[in-house]
Amino acid sequence: MDENVWAGVRERVLRLAEHPEAERVFGARGHGFRLGPIMSEEQLRALEAELGTGLPAQYRGFLLHVGAGGAGPHYGLMTPSPGEDGWQWRGTGLAFSAQPTTAGFAGRPFVAEALQGELDELDAQEPEEDSFASDEEFHRAQSAWNERYEELYDAQEAGAVFLGEQGCGYTSLLVMTGPHRGAVWEDLRAADLGIRPTGHDFGHWYRSWLERAERQLGTWRGDDDAVGTREAVRASRKAGFGVLVDRVRGMFR
């Protein structure tokens, strides 16, 4: 993704931190429109080496030109940082943090969709007490079912990074591997809605949030700020994320 898409974004975000009504924006109390320092190429290469794959281009550009984490949609973005156990995405500077993600876990295959089918089948097979001759047999079957369910549930998160907390147990994910690499998904399992795609890549997702925040606080500068947003949309379409939108628009022409 062209670095021009991120030009001026850091300054725009930090400008919102000085706005007297910044806390009107949902989630602002969680991040305060603060951004972590940008990352160096050396740091990014070290992270990618542990991840086992390159970072999605738009997200890589963000880390390189905007910040490692902090201000962002909902309660803010998790920050990748090295530690004794290797690289992890942590809730540095956030009041409400999503769960940490290790680079090794994020580098695994992303198969959330396939596993959802298995989970749905498993749901239909949950043991019923009346079907067993004794309590002991029922508890044994229930224990085995719970173990398998937790295994599949946790495996759904592999291949993605927990980007941030949305509230009410919902989180935003950035897919790191497979055909959906670079797309933002949502973990809505707290409402039994599974892990679902938002239909947006990282660049569109982040810049759309920033524009909404600026409009709400009256700092949106129209065409000056829209240039980068249009560039982000063009880049998204090149990556294949704008196809559905264009098809829908075509239906009404």
Side-chain angles (χ1 to χ4, degrees), residues 30-31 34-37 68-71 75-82 88-98:
H31 55 71
R34 297 179 297 272
L35 287 167
Y75 290 109
L77 302 184
M78 303 285 279
T79 299
S81 59
Q88 284 192 40
W89 276 259
R90 301 177 172 89
T92 306
L94 300 180
F96 309 103
S97 172

Side-chain angles (χ1 to χ4, degrees), residues 130-157:
D130 294 343
S131 301
F132 295 85
S134 67
D135 289 343
E136 182 179 354
E137 290 179 358
F138 168 69
H139 290 310
R140 188 161 52 244
Q142 185 70 54
S143 178
W145 185 90
N146 287 337
E147 183 177 346
R148 178 56 177 163
Y149 192 93
E150 291 176 7
E151 178 185 349
L152 292 175
Y153 189 94
D154 292 343
Q156 273 196 302
E157 302 162 1

Side-chain angles (χ1 to χ4, degrees), residues 13 57 64 113 122 159 203 217:
V13 173
L64 195 59
E113 289 176 300
L122 194 61
L217 297 177

Side-chain angles (χ1 to χ4, degrees), residues 203-224:
H204 182 275
W205 178 77
Y206 191 90
R207 293 195 64 115
S208 294
W209 163 79
L210 177 56
E211 180 180 333
R212 289 194 302 271
E214 289 174 322
R215 288 183 181 278
Q216 183 177 349
L217 297 177
T219 66
W220 170 248
R221 298 185 302 183
D223 289 341
D224 288 342

Side-chain angles (χ1 to χ4, degrees), residues 43-61:
Q43 289 175 313
L44 292 178
R45 286 194 294 269
L47 172 56
E48 289 172 327
E50 194 163 320
L51 187 65
T53 185
L55 291 161
Q58 296 181 10
Y59 182 59
R60 195 180 201 278

Side-chain angles (χ1 to χ4, degrees), residues 150-212:
E150 291 176 7
E151 178 185 349
L152 292 175
Y153 189 94
D154 292 343
Q156 273 196 302
E157 302 162 1
V161 165
F162 280 91
L163 274 181
E165 175 68 35
Q166 295 186 12
C168 299
Y170 308 147
T171 54
S172 299
L173 305 173
L174 178 62
V175 180
M176 291 289 183
T177 62
H180 301 297
R181 181 173 177 271
V184 177
W185 286 47
E186 293 179 307
D187 185 349
L188 306 177
R189 292 177 296 179
D192 292 328
L193 296 175
I195 295 178
R196 298 181 172 185
T198 64
H200 301 301
D201 55 37
F202 180 81
H204 182 275
W205 178 77
Y206 191 90
R207 293 195 64 115
S208 294
W209 163 79
L210 177 56
E211 180 180 333
R212 289 194 302 271

Side-chain angles (χ1 to χ4, degrees), residues 224-235:
D224 288 342
D225 288 336
V227 171
T229 300
R230 287 196 294 267
E231 291 295 333
V233 171
R234 291 191 189 105

